[in-house]
Amino acid sequence: TQLLEQSPQFLSIQEGENLTVYCNSSSVFSSLQWYRQEPGEGPVLLVTVVTGGEVKKLKRLTFQFGDARKDSSLHITAAQPGDTGLYLCAGAIDSNYQLIWGAGTKLIIKP
Amino acid sequence: NAGVTQTPKFQVLKTGQSMTLQCAQDMNHEYMSWYRQDPGMGLRLIHYSVGAGITDQGEVPNGYNVSRSTTEDFPLRLLSAAPSQTSVYFCASSYGLGGTYNSPLHFGNGTRLTVT
């Protein structure tokens, strides 16, 4: 069974603080995606990382793909209430049509 | 551009009833899929389709049927609802296969189903 472990499951912090969310697996992925989901809506793609060691930035969000392409992290600098949501990671394996999903990190940023 | 449209948004069923969750996309995507989302378990794939007339099972297909007669529509049928099927259901589509690098998934806004 292929697993993608996401941590922490829940995080509540004050506006302005920094945070990091992790996705870890024993499987090697051809690519890994990060989605954000707001209440009552479907997940929306934030970024896709493909190359081992790759770093992508999206304003205050920094995404990194591990060198071995087994893990990834999402770092948010100076979190804002608008960052509140459920963050999901999903890994793709070329030989399989099915994405491997993490269970999600529920993030709450308090003003 | 509507994207992926799911109906209904909410539904309550009694055990044993059947129903169809509707999903339509207007992006001419070949790949469509159904997921269920339960607390602490992430998204689990129920069924998927790589094109009209082609469907296949995902991780949790039991109790659900699908068909794909057109590129646009991919309905999910619950044959005899059970309390274990209480969940939020999401339909997703992509241009290519299953959310790979060149083909991110586009999700609908979900159907919240309660089976009593």
mmCIF file of all heavy atoms in Angstrom, chain B residues 20-67:
data_model
loop_
_atom_site.group_PDB
_atom_site.id
_atom_site.type_symbol
_atom_site.label_atom_id
_atom_site.label_comp_id
_atom_site.label_asym_id
_atom_site.label_seq_id
_atom_site.Cartn_x
_atom_site.Cartn_y
_atom_site.Cartn_z
ATOM 1 N N THR B 20 -28.502 9.248 -8.038
ATOM 2 C CA THR B 20 -27.413 9.562 -8.956
ATOM 3 C C THR B 20 -26.875 10.947 -8.657
ATOM 4 O O THR B 20 -27.647 11.909 -8.575
ATOM 5 C CB THR B 20 -27.884 9.508 -10.418
ATOM 6 O OG1 THR B 20 -28.358 8.193 -10.716
ATOM 7 C CG2 THR B 20 -26.743 9.860 -11.357
ATOM 8 N N LEU B 21 -25.563 11.027 -8.466
ATOM 9 C CA LEU B 21 -24.882 12.306 -8.331
ATOM 10 C C LEU B 21 -24.410 12.721 -9.727
ATOM 11 O O LEU B 21 -23.771 11.943 -10.431
ATOM 12 C CB LEU B 21 -23.673 12.185 -7.405
ATOM 13 C CG LEU B 21 -23.917 12.209 -5.887
ATOM 14 C CD1 LEU B 21 -24.741 11.011 -5.458
ATOM 15 C CD2 LEU B 21 -22.606 12.228 -5.135
ATOM 16 N N GLN B 22 -24.747 13.950 -10.094
ATOM 17 C CA GLN B 22 -24.427 14.423 -11.430
ATOM 18 C C GLN B 22 -23.113 15.196 -11.441
ATOM 19 O O GLN B 22 -22.778 15.900 -10.492
ATOM 20 C CB GLN B 22 -25.546 15.321 -11.970
ATOM 21 C CG GLN B 22 -26.908 14.657 -12.030
ATOM 22 C CD GLN B 22 -26.985 13.551 -13.069
ATOM 23 O OE1 GLN B 22 -26.137 13.457 -13.966
ATOM 24 N NE2 GLN B 22 -28.010 12.688 -12.963
ATOM 25 N N CYS B 23 -22.371 15.037 -12.539
ATOM 26 C CA CYS B 23 -21.129 15.784 -12.747
ATOM 27 C C CYS B 23 -21.021 16.129 -14.217
ATOM 28 O O CYS B 23 -21.162 15.234 -15.079
ATOM 29 C CB CYS B 23 -19.915 14.972 -12.305
ATOM 30 S SG CYS B 23 -18.343 15.799 -12.673
ATOM 31 N N ALA B 24 -20.766 17.394 -14.507
ATOM 32 C CA ALA B 24 -20.582 17.835 -15.886
ATOM 33 C C ALA B 24 -19.416 18.806 -15.947
ATOM 34 O O ALA B 24 -19.233 19.611 -15.046
ATOM 35 C CB ALA B 24 -21.852 18.508 -16.403
ATOM 36 N N GLN B 25 -18.636 18.688 -17.034
ATOM 37 C CA GLN B 25 -17.522 19.627 -17.228
ATOM 38 C C GLN B 25 -17.584 20.173 -18.652
ATOM 39 O O GLN B 25 -17.977 19.462 -19.585
ATOM 40 C CB GLN B 25 -16.165 18.969 -16.921
ATOM 41 C CG GLN B 25 -15.903 17.671 -17.645
ATOM 42 C CD GLN B 25 -15.152 17.828 -18.950
ATOM 43 O OE1 GLN B 25 -14.688 18.901 -19.310
ATOM 44 N NE2 GLN B 25 -15.028 16.710 -19.675
ATOM 45 N N ASP B 26 -17.172 21.431 -18.782
ATOM 46 C CA ASP B 26 -17.253 22.093 -20.085
ATOM 47 C C ASP B 26 -15.873 22.459 -20.614
ATOM 48 O O ASP B 26 -15.723 23.397 -21.400
ATOM 49 C CB ASP B 26 -18.154 23.330 -19.999
ATOM 50 C CG ASP B 26 -17.628 24.372 -19.022
ATOM 51 O OD1 ASP B 26 -16.573 24.142 -18.402
ATOM 52 O OD2 ASP B 26 -18.286 25.417 -18.873
ATOM 53 N N MET B 27 -14.852 21.728 -20.175
ATOM 54 C CA MET B 27 -13.470 22.028 -20.566
ATOM 55 C C MET B 27 -12.942 21.029 -21.596
ATOM 56 O O MET B 27 -11.754 21.044 -21.915
ATOM 57 C CB MET B 27 -12.585 22.029 -19.317
ATOM 58 C CG MET B 27 -12.975 23.119 -18.327
ATOM 59 S SD MET B 27 -12.077 23.024 -16.760
ATOM 60 C CE MET B 27 -12.957 21.685 -15.963
ATOM 61 N N ASN B 28 -13.810 20.132 -22.072
ATOM 62 C CA ASN B 28 -13.424 19.110 -23.048
ATOM 63 C C ASN B 28 -12.309 18.202 -22.514
ATOM 64 O O ASN B 28 -11.441 17.751 -23.265
ATOM 65 C CB ASN B 28 -12.988 19.755 -24.373
ATOM 66 C CG ASN B 28 -13.088 18.781 -25.545
ATOM 67 O OD1 ASN B 28 -13.945 17.897 -25.541
ATOM 68 N ND2 ASN B 28 -12.206 18.917 -26.510
ATOM 69 N N HIS B 29 -12.351 17.943 -21.198
ATOM 70 C CA HIS B 29 -11.356 17.071 -20.575
ATOM 71 C C HIS B 29 -11.691 15.612 -20.831
ATOM 72 O O HIS B 29 -12.846 15.191 -20.726
ATOM 73 C CB HIS B 29 -11.300 17.316 -19.069
ATOM 74 C CG HIS B 29 -10.605 18.580 -18.705
ATOM 75 N ND1 HIS B 29 -10.642 19.104 -17.419
ATOM 76 C CD2 HIS B 29 -9.832 19.423 -19.435
ATOM 77 C CE1 HIS B 29 -9.907 20.209 -17.383
ATOM 78 N NE2 HIS B 29 -9.423 20.423 -18.591
ATOM 79 N N GLU B 30 -10.653 14.831 -21.149
ATOM 80 C CA GLU B 30 -10.870 13.407 -21.377
ATOM 81 C C GLU B 30 -11.003 12.632 -20.053
ATOM 82 O O GLU B 30 -11.752 11.680 -19.948
ATOM 83 C CB GLU B 30 -9.711 12.826 -22.197
ATOM 84 C CG GLU B 30 -9.697 13.282 -23.655
ATOM 85 C CD GLU B 30 -10.907 12.797 -24.426
ATOM 86 O OE1 GLU B 30 -11.367 11.666 -24.172
ATOM 87 O OE2 GLU B 30 -11.419 13.553 -25.284
ATOM 88 N N TYR B 31 -10.221 13.034 -19.069
ATOM 89 C CA TYR B 31 -10.175 12.301 -17.799
ATOM 90 C C TYR B 31 -11.167 12.884 -16.810
ATOM 91 O O TYR B 31 -11.192 14.093 -16.578
ATOM 92 C CB TYR B 31 -8.767 12.368 -17.215
ATOM 93 C CG TYR B 31 -8.604 11.648 -15.898
ATOM 94 C CD1 TYR B 31 -8.225 10.317 -15.843
ATOM 95 C CD2 TYR B 31 -8.820 12.317 -14.691
ATOM 96 C CE1 TYR B 31 -8.076 9.662 -14.634
ATOM 97 C CE2 TYR B 31 -8.673 11.671 -13.482
ATOM 98 C CZ TYR B 31 -8.304 10.349 -13.453
ATOM 99 O OH TYR B 31 -8.150 9.704 -12.259
ATOM 100 N N MET B 32 -12.001 11.998 -16.225
ATOM 101 C CA MET B 32 -12.905 12.409 -15.155
ATOM 102 C C MET B 32 -12.875 11.366 -14.052
ATOM 103 O O MET B 32 -12.604 10.178 -14.313
ATOM 104 C CB MET B 32 -14.344 12.588 -15.674
ATOM 105 C CG MET B 32 -14.490 13.714 -16.684
ATOM 106 S SD MET B 32 -16.190 14.052 -17.159
ATOM 107 C CE MET B 32 -16.822 14.888 -15.700
ATOM 108 N N SER B 33 -13.137 11.807 -12.842
ATOM 109 C CA SER B 33 -13.033 10.888 -11.705
ATOM 110 C C SER B 33 -13.979 11.311 -10.599
ATOM 111 O O SER B 33 -14.409 12.465 -10.535
ATOM 112 C CB SER B 33 -11.590 10.859 -11.186
ATOM 113 O OG SER B 33 -11.137 12.160 -10.868
ATOM 114 N N TRP B 34 -14.274 10.349 -9.729
ATOM 115 C CA TRP B 34 -15.075 10.586 -8.534
ATOM 116 C C TRP B 34 -14.261 10.214 -7.307
ATOM 117 O O TRP B 34 -13.633 9.146 -7.259
ATOM 118 C CB TRP B 34 -16.344 9.739 -8.543
ATOM 119 C CG TRP B 34 -17.465 10.338 -9.315
ATOM 120 C CD1 TRP B 34 -17.870 10.012 -10.578
ATOM 121 C CD2 TRP B 34 -18.339 11.385 -8.880
ATOM 122 N NE1 TRP B 34 -18.938 10.778 -10.959
ATOM 123 C CE2 TRP B 34 -19.247 11.631 -9.927
ATOM 124 C CE3 TRP B 34 -18.452 12.139 -7.706
ATOM 125 C CZ2 TRP B 34 -20.246 12.591 -9.835
ATOM 126 C CZ3 TRP B 34 -19.447 13.090 -7.619
ATOM 127 C CH2 TRP B 34 -20.341 13.317 -8.682
ATOM 128 N N TYR B 35 -14.280 11.114 -6.313
ATOM 129 C CA TYR B 35 -13.622 10.891 -5.043
ATOM 130 C C TYR B 35 -14.648 11.029 -3.923
ATOM 131 O O TYR B 35 -15.630 11.754 -4.050
ATOM 132 C CB TYR B 35 -12.533 11.946 -4.796
ATOM 133 C CG TYR B 35 -11.280 11.803 -5.614
ATOM 134 C CD1 TYR B 35 -11.140 12.440 -6.845
ATOM 135 C CD2 TYR B 35 -10.201 11.073 -5.130
ATOM 136 C CE1 TYR B 35 -9.964 12.334 -7.580
ATOM 137 C CE2 TYR B 35 -9.024 10.964 -5.865
ATOM 138 C CZ TYR B 35 -8.929 11.595 -7.083
ATOM 139 O OH TYR B 35 -7.766 11.490 -7.800
ATOM 140 N N ARG B 36 -14.352 10.377 -2.821
ATOM 141 C CA ARG B 36 -15.064 10.679 -1.588
ATOM 142 C C ARG B 36 -14.060 11.209 -0.575
ATOM 143 O O ARG B 36 -12.876 10.795 -0.571
ATOM 144 C CB ARG B 36 -15.820 9.467 -1.044
ATOM 145 C CG ARG B 36 -15.002 8.266 -0.708
ATOM 146 C CD ARG B 36 -15.886 7.149 -0.110
ATOM 147 N NE ARG B 36 -16.357 7.488 1.231
ATOM 148 C CZ ARG B 36 -17.252 6.767 1.910
ATOM 149 N NH1 ARG B 36 -17.782 5.667 1.369
ATOM 150 N NH2 ARG B 36 -17.622 7.132 3.124
ATOM 151 N N GLN B 37 -14.525 12.144 0.251
ATOM 152 C CA GLN B 37 -13.652 12.762 1.249
ATOM 153 C C GLN B 37 -14.267 12.567 2.620
ATOM 154 O O GLN B 37 -15.383 13.023 2.878
ATOM 155 C CB GLN B 37 -13.451 14.250 0.962
ATOM 156 C CG GLN B 37 -12.450 14.922 1.879
ATOM 157 C CD GLN B 37 -12.184 16.370 1.500
ATOM 158 O OE1 GLN B 37 -13.083 17.105 1.111
ATOM 159 N NE2 GLN B 37 -10.923 16.801 1.599
ATOM 160 N N ASP B 38 -13.536 11.899 3.482
ATOM 161 C CA ASP B 38 -13.957 11.653 4.848
ATOM 162 C C ASP B 38 -12.914 12.244 5.790
ATOM 163 O O ASP B 38 -11.718 12.258 5.464
ATOM 164 C CB ASP B 38 -14.101 10.147 5.093
ATOM 165 C CG ASP B 38 -15.106 9.516 4.131
ATOM 166 O OD1 ASP B 38 -16.293 9.833 4.271
ATOM 167 O OD2 ASP B 38 -14.702 8.751 3.241
ATOM 168 N N PRO B 39 -13.345 12.715 6.953
ATOM 169 C CA PRO B 39 -12.403 13.368 7.888
ATOM 170 C C PRO B 39 -11.207 12.481 8.204
ATOM 171 O O PRO B 39 -11.356 11.305 8.523
ATOM 172 C CB PRO B 39 -13.271 13.609 9.122
ATOM 173 C CG PRO B 39 -14.670 13.678 8.597
ATOM 174 C CD PRO B 39 -14.720 12.703 7.461
ATOM 175 N N GLY B 40 -10.016 13.048 8.115
ATOM 176 C CA GLY B 40 -8.796 12.335 8.476
ATOM 177 C C GLY B 40 -8.342 11.294 7.478
ATOM 178 O O GLY B 40 -7.358 10.585 7.725
ATOM 179 N N MET B 41 -9.048 11.178 6.339
ATOM 180 C CA MET B 41 -8.696 10.120 5.385
ATOM 181 C C MET B 41 -8.321 10.661 4.017
ATOM 182 O O MET B 41 -8.045 9.902 3.110
ATOM 183 C CB MET B 41 -9.848 9.126 5.243
ATOM 184 C CG MET B 41 -10.212 8.446 6.539
ATOM 185 S SD MET B 41 -11.356 7.101 6.313
ATOM 186 C CE MET B 41 -10.294 5.901 5.538
ATOM 187 N N GLY B 42 -8.326 11.931 3.839
ATOM 188 C CA GLY B 42 -7.976 12.472 2.542
ATOM 189 C C GLY B 42 -9.005 12.104 1.481
ATOM 190 O O GLY B 42 -10.140 11.746 1.774
ATOM 191 N N LEU B 43 -8.594 12.156 0.244
ATOM 192 C CA LEU B 43 -9.459 11.849 -0.884
ATOM 193 C C LEU B 43 -9.220 10.415 -1.339
ATOM 194 O O LEU B 43 -8.078 9.998 -1.527
ATOM 195 C CB LEU B 43 -9.168 12.808 -2.043
ATOM 196 C CG LEU B 43 -9.596 14.261 -1.827
ATOM 197 C CD1 LEU B 43 -8.950 15.174 -2.842
ATOM 198 C CD2 LEU B 43 -11.104 14.385 -1.918
ATOM 199 N N ARG B 44 -10.298 9.677 -1.525
ATOM 200 C CA ARG B 44 -10.188 8.299 -2.006
ATOM 201 C C ARG B 44 -10.923 8.163 -3.332
ATOM 202 O O ARG B 44 -12.077 8.567 -3.450
ATOM 203 C CB ARG B 44 -10.742 7.325 -0.970
ATOM 204 C CG ARG B 44 -9.891 7.257 0.295
ATOM 205 C CD ARG B 44 -10.408 6.189 1.253
ATOM 206 N NE ARG B 44 -11.692 6.550 1.833
ATOM 207 C CZ ARG B 44 -12.461 5.714 2.535
ATOM 208 N NH1 ARG B 44 -12.084 4.460 2.711
ATOM 209 N NH2 ARG B 44 -13.611 6.136 3.042
ATOM 210 N N LEU B 45 -10.248 7.577 -4.290
ATOM 211 C CA LEU B 45 -10.781 7.452 -5.638
ATOM 212 C C LEU B 45 -11.802 6.332 -5.708
ATOM 213 O O LEU B 45 -11.539 5.196 -5.310
ATOM 214 C CB LEU B 45 -9.630 7.195 -6.623
ATOM 215 C CG LEU B 45 -9.989 7.117 -8.098
ATOM 216 C CD1 LEU B 45 -10.479 8.475 -8.603
ATOM 217 C CD2 LEU B 45 -8.770 6.672 -8.910
ATOM 218 N N ILE B 46 -12.979 6.650 -6.263
ATOM 219 C CA ILE B 46 -14.054 5.659 -6.371
ATOM 220 C C ILE B 46 -14.025 5.001 -7.766
ATOM 221 O O ILE B 46 -13.886 3.794 -7.907
ATOM 222 C CB ILE B 46 -15.423 6.321 -6.126
ATOM 223 C CG1 ILE B 46 -15.455 7.011 -4.772
ATOM 224 C CG2 ILE B 46 -16.540 5.274 -6.213
ATOM 225 C CD1 ILE B 46 -16.692 7.869 -4.546
ATOM 226 N N HIS B 47 -14.189 5.810 -8.791
ATOM 227 C CA HIS B 47 -14.137 5.368 -10.188
ATOM 228 C C HIS B 47 -13.520 6.484 -11.013
ATOM 229 O O HIS B 47 -13.560 7.649 -10.625
ATOM 230 C CB HIS B 47 -15.543 5.079 -10.741
ATOM 231 C CG HIS B 47 -16.168 3.814 -10.263
ATOM 232 N ND1 HIS B 47 -15.805 2.567 -10.726
ATOM 233 C CD2 HIS B 47 -17.161 3.614 -9.354
ATOM 234 C CE1 HIS B 47 -16.554 1.650 -10.131
ATOM 235 N NE2 HIS B 47 -17.376 2.246 -9.293
ATOM 236 N N TYR B 48 -12.994 6.104 -12.169
ATOM 237 C CA TYR B 48 -12.480 7.108 -13.079
ATOM 238 C C TYR B 48 -12.735 6.693 -14.521
ATOM 239 O O TYR B 48 -13.082 5.539 -14.803
ATOM 240 C CB TYR B 48 -10.994 7.382 -12.837
ATOM 241 C CG TYR B 48 -10.072 6.216 -13.135
ATOM 242 C CD1 TYR B 48 -9.445 6.097 -14.364
ATOM 243 C CD2 TYR B 48 -9.815 5.254 -12.160
ATOM 244 C CE1 TYR B 48 -8.587 5.047 -14.629
ATOM 245 C CE2 TYR B 48 -8.961 4.193 -12.418
ATOM 246 C CZ TYR B 48 -8.346 4.102 -13.655
ATOM 247 O OH TYR B 48 -7.500 3.054 -13.922
ATOM 248 N N SER B 49 -12.560 7.668 -15.414
ATOM 249 C CA SER B 49 -12.783 7.422 -16.840
ATOM 250 C C SER B 49 -11.739 8.185 -17.642
ATOM 251 O O SER B 49 -11.472 9.355 -17.367
ATOM 252 C CB SER B 49 -14.182 7.891 -17.242
ATOM 253 O OG SER B 49 -14.318 7.902 -18.641
ATOM 254 N N VAL B 50 -11.148 7.500 -18.618
ATOM 255 C CA VAL B 50 -10.133 8.147 -19.443
ATOM 256 C C VAL B 50 -10.707 8.614 -20.780
ATOM 257 O O VAL B 50 -9.972 9.110 -21.629
ATOM 258 C CB VAL B 50 -8.904 7.240 -19.656
ATOM 259 C CG1 VAL B 50 -8.246 6.928 -18.325
ATOM 260 C CG2 VAL B 50 -9.295 5.964 -20.374
ATOM 261 N N GLY B 51 -12.019 8.452 -20.940
ATOM 262 C CA GLY B 51 -12.671 8.925 -22.151
ATOM 263 C C GLY B 51 -14.067 8.342 -22.254
ATOM 264 O O GLY B 51 -14.421 7.412 -21.507
ATOM 265 N N ALA B 52 -14.854 8.875 -23.154
ATOM 266 C CA ALA B 52 -16.227 8.394 -23.336
ATOM 267 C C ALA B 52 -16.223 6.898 -23.626
ATOM 268 O O ALA B 52 -15.451 6.415 -24.450
ATOM 269 C CB ALA B 52 -16.911 9.169 -24.457
ATOM 270 N N GLY B 53 -17.073 6.183 -22.894
ATOM 271 C CA GLY B 53 -17.201 4.746 -23.069
ATOM 272 C C GLY B 53 -16.217 3.903 -22.294
ATOM 273 O O GLY B 53 -16.272 2.672 -22.330
ATOM 274 N N ILE B 54 -15.310 4.561 -21.544
ATOM 275 C CA ILE B 54 -14.263 3.831 -20.810
ATOM 276 C C ILE B 54 -14.310 4.221 -19.340
ATOM 277 O O ILE B 54 -14.189 5.408 -19.009
ATOM 278 C CB ILE B 54 -12.860 4.154 -21.361
ATOM 279 C CG1 ILE B 54 -12.799 3.888 -22.867
ATOM 280 C CG2 ILE B 54 -11.805 3.344 -20.623
ATOM 281 C CD1 ILE B 54 -11.546 4.428 -23.513
ATOM 282 N N THR B 55 -14.514 3.249 -18.474
ATOM 283 C CA THR B 55 -14.483 3.517 -17.033
ATOM 284 C C THR B 55 -13.672 2.428 -16.340
ATOM 285 O O THR B 55 -13.501 1.328 -16.879
ATOM 286 C CB THR B 55 -15.892 3.553 -16.417
ATOM 287 O OG1 THR B 55 -16.499 2.261 -16.552
ATOM 288 C CG2 THR B 55 -16.770 4.594 -17.083
ATOM 289 N N ASP B 56 -13.199 2.739 -15.160
ATOM 290 C CA ASP B 56 -12.427 1.770 -14.386
ATOM 291 C C ASP B 56 -12.597 2.061 -12.905
ATOM 292 O O ASP B 56 -13.006 3.161 -12.506
ATOM 293 C CB ASP B 56 -10.959 1.801 -14.771
ATOM 294 C CG ASP B 56 -10.273 0.458 -14.541
ATOM 295 O OD1 ASP B 56 -10.863 -0.400 -13.831
ATOM 296 O OD2 ASP B 56 -9.164 0.263 -15.049
ATOM 297 N N GLN B 57 -12.278 1.048 -12.100
ATOM 298 C CA GLN B 57 -12.446 1.164 -10.658
ATOM 299 C C GLN B 57 -11.240 1.836 -10.021
ATOM 300 O O GLN B 57 -10.103 1.647 -10.454
ATOM 301 C CB GLN B 57 -12.645 -0.224 -10.044
ATOM 302 C CG GLN B 57 -13.900 -0.928 -10.514
ATOM 303 C CD GLN B 57 -14.056 -2.294 -9.869
ATOM 304 O OE1 GLN B 57 -13.151 -2.784 -9.204
ATOM 305 N NE2 GLN B 57 -15.211 -2.902 -10.050
ATOM 306 N N GLY B 58 -11.539 2.573 -8.955
ATOM 307 C CA GLY B 58 -10.484 3.153 -8.148
ATOM 308 C C GLY B 58 -10.269 2.343 -6.891
ATOM 309 O O GLY B 58 -10.423 1.128 -6.878
ATOM 310 N N GLU B 59 -9.953 3.040 -5.820
ATOM 311 C CA GLU B 59 -9.608 2.405 -4.547
ATOM 312 C C GLU B 59 -10.827 1.854 -3.806
ATOM 313 O O GLU B 59 -10.754 0.803 -3.168
ATOM 314 C CB GLU B 59 -8.893 3.435 -3.669
ATOM 315 C CG GLU B 59 -8.467 2.953 -2.300
ATOM 316 C CD GLU B 59 -7.892 4.075 -1.446
ATOM 317 O OE1 GLU B 59 -7.766 5.222 -1.952
ATOM 318 O OE2 GLU B 59 -7.574 3.826 -0.266
ATOM 319 N N VAL B 60 -11.969 2.548 -3.899
ATOM 320 C CA VAL B 60 -13.157 2.178 -3.114
ATOM 321 C C VAL B 60 -14.399 2.134 -3.997
ATOM 322 O O VAL B 60 -15.346 2.913 -3.818
ATOM 323 C CB VAL B 60 -13.354 3.147 -1.924
ATOM 324 C CG1 VAL B 60 -12.318 2.913 -0.855
ATOM 325 C CG2 VAL B 60 -13.346 4.601 -2.387
ATOM 326 N N PRO B 61 -14.510 1.189 -4.939
ATOM 327 C CA PRO B 61 -15.609 1.206 -5.900
ATOM 328 C C PRO B 61 -16.908 0.527 -5.446
ATOM 329 O O PRO B 61 -17.962 0.737 -6.066
ATOM 330 C CB PRO B 61 -15.014 0.422 -7.071
ATOM 331 C CG PRO B 61 -14.101 -0.581 -6.403
ATOM 332 C CD PRO B 61 -13.505 0.169 -5.228
ATOM 333 N N ASN B 62 -16.836 -0.275 -4.373
ATOM 334 C CA ASN B 62 -18.008 -1.084 -4.000
ATOM 335 C C ASN B 62 -19.189 -0.217 -3.605
ATOM 336 O O ASN B 62 -19.077 0.690 -2.793
ATOM 337 C CB ASN B 62 -17.640 -2.032 -2.859
ATOM 338 C CG ASN B 62 -16.657 -3.098 -3.305
ATOM 339 O OD1 ASN B 62 -16.522 -3.367 -4.495
ATOM 340 N ND2 ASN B 62 -15.955 -3.687 -2.349
ATOM 341 N N GLY B 63 -20.358 -0.538 -4.194
ATOM 342 C CA GLY B 63 -21.580 0.190 -3.886
ATOM 343 C C GLY B 63 -21.864 1.341 -4.834
ATOM 344 O O GLY B 63 -22.875 2.027 -4.683
ATOM 345 N N TYR B 64 -20.956 1.551 -5.782
ATOM 346 C CA TYR B 64 -21.088 2.656 -6.729
ATOM 347 C C TYR B 64 -20.951 2.155 -8.169
ATOM 348 O O TYR B 64 -20.152 1.273 -8.447
ATOM 349 C CB TYR B 64 -19.995 3.711 -6.502
ATOM 350 C CG TYR B 64 -19.847 4.209 -5.099
ATOM 351 C CD1 TYR B 64 -18.918 3.629 -4.228
ATOM 352 C CD2 TYR B 64 -20.613 5.274 -4.628
ATOM 353 C CE1 TYR B 64 -18.764 4.093 -2.933
ATOM 354 C CE2 TYR B 64 -20.458 5.748 -3.333
ATOM 355 C CZ TYR B 64 -19.534 5.146 -2.496
ATOM 356 O OH TYR B 64 -19.378 5.613 -1.215
ATOM 357 N N ASN B 65 -21.730 2.788 -9.058
ATOM 358 C CA ASN B 65 -21.592 2.521 -10.486
ATOM 359 C C ASN B 65 -21.399 3.828 -11.235
ATOM 360 O O ASN B 65 -21.896 4.878 -10.807
ATOM 361 C CB ASN B 65 -22.863 1.855 -11.043
ATOM 362 C CG ASN B 65 -22.807 0.351 -10.898
ATOM 363 O OD1 ASN B 65 -21.820 -0.197 -10.426
ATOM 364 N ND2 ASN B 65 -23.874 -0.305 -11.301
ATOM 365 N N VAL B 66 -20.689 3.755 -12.361
ATOM 366 C CA VAL B 66 -20.520 4.934 -13.204
ATOM 367 C C VAL B 66 -20.704 4.535 -14.660
ATOM 368 O O VAL B 66 -20.624 3.359 -15.020
ATOM 369 C CB VAL B 66 -19.127 5.587 -13.040
ATOM 370 C CG1 VAL B 66 -18.957 6.201 -11.667
ATOM 371 C CG2 VAL B 66 -18.018 4.575 -13.336
ATOM 372 N N SER B 67 -20.926 5.546 -15.479
ATOM 373 C CA SER B 67 -20.948 5.374 -16.927
ATOM 374 C C SER B 67 -20.445 6.665 -17.548
ATOM 375 O O SER B 67 -20.478 7.724 -16.917
ATOM 376 C CB SER B 67 -22.360 5.056 -17.425
ATOM 377 O OG SER B 67 -23.244 6.102 -17.078
#
